[in-house]
Amino acid sequence: MDRLVFYHHPQAENFSLKFSSASLADIRSLREQSDESAKLIGYPFETAVYVLYEGDTEIESAQDVDFDREWLSERIRDLPRAGQVVAFRLVELLEAAVDVREADEFRLYKEFEPQKIQQALDHVSWGASVPEVAGEVMSNLILRHSLPNANHRTGIAMLQFCIESVDSDFAMPRTHIDDDTWREWVDPYIVDSKRIITVRRNNLRFKKLEELDIDLVERKDGIQIRLAEFELDMHWRDALSEYAEQHESHCTEFAQAVLKRAERDDLLDQQGSTKHEFITYLEDGLVERDFREMF
């Protein structure tokens, strides 16, 4: 039978796995040395495994945050124009997601970090093929994780806008979370994306779990990561690079799947937008758009 531990604490999903050991004394010592809020779980395997989780004590509700222009302007005023435009649209998308999913049920797990948006834009191969540009925009926004929630859903929306900036008549296949289409082909891409980015940030922690004979790590939403399927034995900096490349390839494959499903194979090899073209489309081409329709 597989030995499984949770990546997020099952009763407090804003707490995530930080340390593991077969020694309860070692884990308690680490807990005493840490300045972070922490929770401890002992897994009663034949040889017990102890896991220390660290995180914030509270999860903020979206209804407690007013995403108004003043709030946003204070946070993005130091960004270059491109970063400001993307940040503005991302927050609009987040607001739309909150509206659709009901604000009181929509949780914010971290602070808004707009500087990471500019970092994402700086790592896109602008002017490459349509699926490469769209996939890299999606991938880098997800990897930088700038929003407090909905980074995958807004990343898919930005992929769509990338394609539309090349061909405004492009019709995006349905990616709504409430229908069978999502479960059939969108969700598997999102699940694998979450596996990759979780391993990317935790290769050494997961290597330690593997040494403790753990087979599976389960993150929130029931997503399981089989440790044997990933290369964990590398320096954490190498893991950041290696799994970022894998994630970019994964999102590029998603962009290709989107184009094929939309029966737009003509765009597979067409040149994608430049950064200027993409930003101009975000600024001028979406003025009348109701983003709630995308969720």
Side-chain angles (χ1 to χ4, degrees):
M1 183 175 178
D2 289 327
R3 289 157 58 98
L4 180 149
V5 303
F6 294 102
Y7 177 67
H8 297 98
H9 193 284
Q11 277 79 51
E13 60 185 21
N14 52 322
F15 282 71
S16 57
L17 183 152
K18 295 299 178 184
F19 304 102
S20 61
S21 176
S23 168
L24 178 58
D26 287 348
I27 287 292
R28 283 177 171 167
S29 176
L30 288 169
R31 185 176 187 175
E32 291 171 359
Q33 295 171 30
S34 175
D35 295 327
E36 303 293 328
S37 298
K39 296 179 182 292
L40 172 63
I41 293 181
Y43 290 86
F45 304 123
E46 184 175 346
T47 301
V49 171
Y50 302 94
V51 176
L52 189 66
Y53 297 83
E54 291 183 354
D56 298 323
T57 54
E58 296 182 2
I59 300 177
E60 193 170 17
S61 171
Q63 66 182 351
D64 297 329
V65 178
D66 185 5
F67 299 101
D68 61 15
R69 287 182 178 271
E70 182 178 353
W71 176 90
L72 181 58
S73 296
E74 290 178 358
R75 286 159 177 78
I76 68 174
R77 60 188 174 193
D78 294 331
L79 293 180
R81 173 176 167 270
Q84 291 184 3
V85 172
V86 175
F88 181 80
R89 291 303 185 202
L90 281 172
V91 170
E92 283 192 317
L93 288 164
L94 177 60
E95 287 183 289
V98 170
D99 283 347
V100 170
R101 294 176 58 184
E102 300 183 9
D104 60 340
E105 296 180 2
F106 199 94
R107 297 177 175 181
L108 305 181
Y109 294 99
K110 59 184 287 295
E111 293 294 322
F112 177 45
E113 298 180 273
Q115 74 280 1
K116 293 185 176 181
I117 295 170
Q118 188 60 46
Q119 295 170 12
L121 297 177
D122 290 341
H123 286 81
V124 175
S125 303
W126 300 106
S129 70
V130 171
E132 285 179 281
V133 174
E136 288 183 16
V137 166
M138 174 182 168
S139 174
N140 281 289
L141 287 172
I142 291 172
L143 288 175
R144 267 66 186 186
H145 203 70
S146 65
L147 294 177
N149 201 337
N151 286 277
H152 277 85
R153 292 297 299 138
T154 56
I156 291 175
M158 283 294 174
L159 174 144
Q160 176 178 341
F161 297 155
C162 263
I163 300 173
E164 291 176 355
S165 69
V166 174
D167 185 344
S168 59
D169 293 328
F170 173 75
M172 183 75 171
R174 278 185 62 84
T175 58
H176 292 63
I177 196 167
D178 61 348
D179 64 15
D180 290 337
T181 303
W182 172 276
R183 288 183 285 274
E184 177 189 348
W185 74 282
V186 181
D187 193 48
Y189 277 100
I190 301 307
V191 168
D192 282 343
S193 168
K194 290 181 177 181
R195 288 192 180 107
I196 293 169
I197 62 178
T198 305
V199 172
R200 178 176 181 260
R201 296 191 299 260
N202 294 280
N203 73 296
L204 295 181
R205 295 186 182 102
F206 288 178
K207 176 64 177 174
K208 177 62 176 177
L209 289 175
E210 195 172 50
E211 292 170 353
L212 293 170
D213 294 325
I214 300 302
D215 303 294
L216 294 170
V217 175
E218 183 173 316
R219 48 168 288 152
K220 59 188 174 185
D221 302 322
I223 297 173
Q224 293 187 350
I225 299 166
R226 185 167 293 278
L227 299 182
E229 294 178 357
F230 294 89
E231 175 56 49
L232 305 174
D233 191 11
M234 64 180 86
H235 193 281
W236 63 267
R237 291 192 185 91
D238 295 330
L240 289 179
S241 176
E242 169 68 23
Y243 286 107
E245 291 179 8
Q246 287 192 27
H247 193 261
E248 280 195 358
S249 297
H250 182 71
C251 291
T252 298
E253 290 175 6
F254 177 69
Q256 292 168 339
V258 165
L259 293 173
K260 291 177 181 178
R261 197 171 188 91
E263 298 182 347
R264 292 301 307 271
D265 289 20
D266 58 302
L267 294 177
L268 288 170
D269 297 318
Q270 185 168 325
Q271 183 176 357
S273 59
T274 64
K275 183 191 287 188
H276 175 74
E277 290 168 339
F278 177 56
I279 298 304
T280 299
Y281 180 73
L282 291 183
E283 199 165 29
D284 302 331
L286 303 174
V287 177
E288 302 298 327
R289 197 74 158 262
D290 184 352
F291 293 149
R292 289 174 298 181
E293 296 177 356
M294 306 178 71
F295 298 96

